[in-house]
Amino acid sequence: MQKILVMLVLFLSVNVSTANELLTQLLESNRNIEGEFRQVTYDEEGLQLQANEGVFLLAEPNRFVWDTITPFPQRIISNGQWITVWDVDLEQATQKPLEGALGNSPAALLGRPANDVLPHYEISQLGEQRFRLEPKEEVDLFSTLTLSFRSNDIEAMSIQDSLGQTTVIEFNNVEHHDGVADGNFQVDLPDEVDLLIEPSLLEKTAKAKAN
């Protein structure tokens, strides 16, 4: 009996290691891509709450554009140092340091190196290129995240939060690139846009000490 338990533990350990390695390879191969997305949020009973569509562009390190086109235009842009969220119709924008803004959120999985992010999750392989991730730390962002790939390209991300709501992001017409101009990640806000700039973690710490 003890021998069987030892064999089972070794088998599970090998499977976890294999899943981690495979997911790491898949994520790293999807860090320089562009395409279209459709994002739908459902309540705990499966009823659709909202849906939006748009285009995206990812480029390492930590640079991305997430452009929601319908139903309401919104631009989320990271130049690798700052992240800007611009609600176009509301003429409002928020800018914050990227450090700490992503944390271990779902966005970090596609923006940051896999070896930096994956250690924060328990990983289970559900299929050949489908994985379930559960945070090791208690977070409010989500309880379970599922990543799906097809032919090594990111296909979908399903996120379940602590309230039972599920957000499904489908990626379509994904294409790989060898690099894009830095200008794609620069934000030129019109004069009429009300911009709020949040202080960095260092600035917050210094202010707290001063008080």
Side-chain angles (χ1 to χ4, degrees), residues 33 59 61 67 75 81-83 103 108 148 153 162 166 170 180 183-184:
I33 57 175
D67 260 337
R75 306 200 73 197
Q81 295 181 319
W82 290 84
I83 182 171
S148 302
D153 289 338
S162 57
T166 301
E170 298 175 347
V180 293
N184 287 284

Side-chain angles (χ1 to χ4, degrees), residues 46-166:
L47 297 177
Q48 180 175 311
L49 297 178
Q50 62 180 23
N52 51 60
E53 298 180 0
V55 296
F56 71 92
L57 170 64
L58 305 179
E60 57 184 339
N62 293 327
R63 297 179 301 165
F64 60 83
V65 177
W66 191 265
D67 260 337
T68 298
I69 299 174
T70 60
F72 306 107
Q74 182 190 63
R75 306 200 73 197
I76 304 176
I77 303 174
S78 167
N79 63 4
Q81 295 181 319
W82 290 84
I83 182 171
T84 303
V85 180
W86 175 15
D87 293 304
V88 180
D89 286 348
L90 298 178
E91 297 184 346
Q92 295 178 346
T94 301
Q95 195 172 74
K96 65 183 74 175
L98 185 66
E99 179 184 2
L102 292 183
N104 299 316
S105 67
L109 285 167
L110 300 179
R112 293 170 53 193
N115 286 331
D116 291 346
V117 182
L118 291 184
H120 297 278
Y121 299 96
E122 296 288 351
I123 301 171
S124 304
Q125 188 167 356
L126 305 178
E128 185 177 354
Q129 293 192 339
R130 190 164 179 262
F131 306 84
R132 181 176 63 238
L133 287 75
E134 297 175 279
K136 293 180 180 178
E137 301 94 358
E138 291 187 6
V139 294
D140 295 328
L141 292 175
F142 65 97
S143 57
T144 304
L145 183 147
T146 303
L147 280 172
S148 302
F149 300 82
R150 175 177 290 184
S151 300
N152 298 330
D153 289 338
I154 184 74
E155 180 183 39
M157 177 184 292
S158 177
I159 307 158
Q160 185 173 28
D161 64 24
S162 57
L163 299 177
Q165 294 185 356
T166 301

Side-chain angles (χ1 to χ4, degrees), residues 2-21:
Q2 184 177 3
K3 187 175 182 179
I4 295 176
L5 289 175
V6 171
M7 293 290 290
L8 180 60
V9 170
L10 289 175
F11 175 76
L12 292 175
S13 298
V14 171
N15 276 359
V16 170
S17 176
T18 302
N20 288 355
E21 292 175 4

Side-chain angles (χ1 to χ4, degrees), residues 6 19 25-26 29 38 89 96 100 118 130 144 202 205 209:
V6 171
Q25 293 172 4
L26 289 169
S29 68
R38 172 175 167 79
D89 286 348
K96 65 183 74 175
L118 291 184
R130 190 164 179 262
T144 304
L202 287 176
T205 303
K209 289 181 178 179

